[in-house]
Amino acid sequence: MISEIQKRKFHHFFNVLDFDKNGCLQPEDFVNIGRRIIEARSIDASSRRAQLILVKSHQLYIQLLADSDNPELSVTLYDWIEFFRLQLIKDVGNRILEYYIHRISRHIFDLFDANRDQLISKEEYTHMLTVYQISEGNCARGFREMDTNNDGFISSEEMINGLRNFFMSNNLDAPGNRIFGEWS
């Protein structure tokens, strides 16, 4: 069963990923996010690192299509919500959702951990949100909530726990609920 709180969070996450705001997740949304990452991090667009970012961004989209068993080349909001609803119903022990959470965490670290120290700094977190067209005003609260040990960084474990709360929790105050900005 999917709660209204979860549905609102999934809807918000869909809107974050829908870069061109046309109501469908399409390959261009993910490629454009990759381009924004390259630009925000001042990476030479012709470099190997830039090409890897574009490939990883595109792979995330391809994996989304494969996970949702969608034969189309776009994902509507209905498809998106239905995917998560089905995962929460049929996924005993949340194995599939846990795998998805770990994969998103790895993707975030691959793309936004600029210095490769396996920690997301406040600056890296802010870059992440602004690349996804989320205002800097939402960054401070989201970062504070995710940094549960208050060391000034988000570790892989904190990211996974935050994503787990975002996708699974019905608690409005759970750390991680605002990982992708304000949704409530």
Side-chain angles (χ1 to χ4, degrees), residues 23 25 47 67 92 99 103 110 113 117 120 122-123 132 138 141-142 144 147 170:
L25 299 181
S47 71
D67 289 346
V92 177
Y99 175 72
R103 192 169 56 228
D110 282 350
D113 181 14
D117 64 354
I120 300 289
K122 189 172 185 177
E123 180 183 7
Y132 285 100
N138 284 314
R141 181 176 181 184
R144 259 193 331 271
D147 181 18
N170 287 311

Side-chain angles (χ1 to χ4, degrees), residues 49-111:
R49 178 74 182 131
Q51 297 309 306
L52 285 173
I53 288 171
L54 291 175
V55 166
K56 286 180 182 187
S57 294
H58 190 66
Q59 283 175 332
L60 185 64
Y61 178 74
I62 298 299
Q63 190 63 55
L64 171 64
L65 288 179
D67 289 346
S68 64
D69 198 25
N70 187 339
E72 304 297 322
L73 287 181
S74 66
V75 176
T76 66
L77 176 60
Y78 174 82
D79 297 332
W80 180 257
I81 300 290
E82 188 66 6
F83 167 73
F84 286 108
R85 186 186 72 77
L86 289 173
Q87 295 312 311
L88 291 169
I89 288 172
K90 71 179 183 181
D91 188 12
V92 177
N94 295 315
R95 288 186 310 262
I96 295 169
L97 205 48
E98 279 291 327
Y99 175 72
Y100 191 69
I101 287 165
H102 283 263
R103 192 169 56 228
I104 291 173
S105 177
R106 280 192 311 275
H107 180 73
I108 288 171
F109 272 82
D110 282 350
L111 295 177

Side-chain angles (χ1 to χ4, degrees), residues 6-22:
Q6 288 171 310
K7 189 183 278 187
R8 288 182 15 220
K9 290 190 283 187
F10 299 154
H11 188 170
H12 173 72
F13 189 36
F14 178 91
N15 289 337
V16 166
L17 295 174
D18 184 13
F19 189 82
D20 60 11
K21 307 302 181 210
N22 71 351

Side-chain angles (χ1 to χ4, degrees), residues 141-158:
R141 181 176 181 184
F143 186 84
R144 259 193 331 271
E145 288 181 6
M146 293 288 293
D147 181 18
T148 55
N149 68 0
N150 300 311
D151 67 352
F153 297 96
I154 298 172
S155 67
S156 178
E157 182 179 320
E158 287 170 319

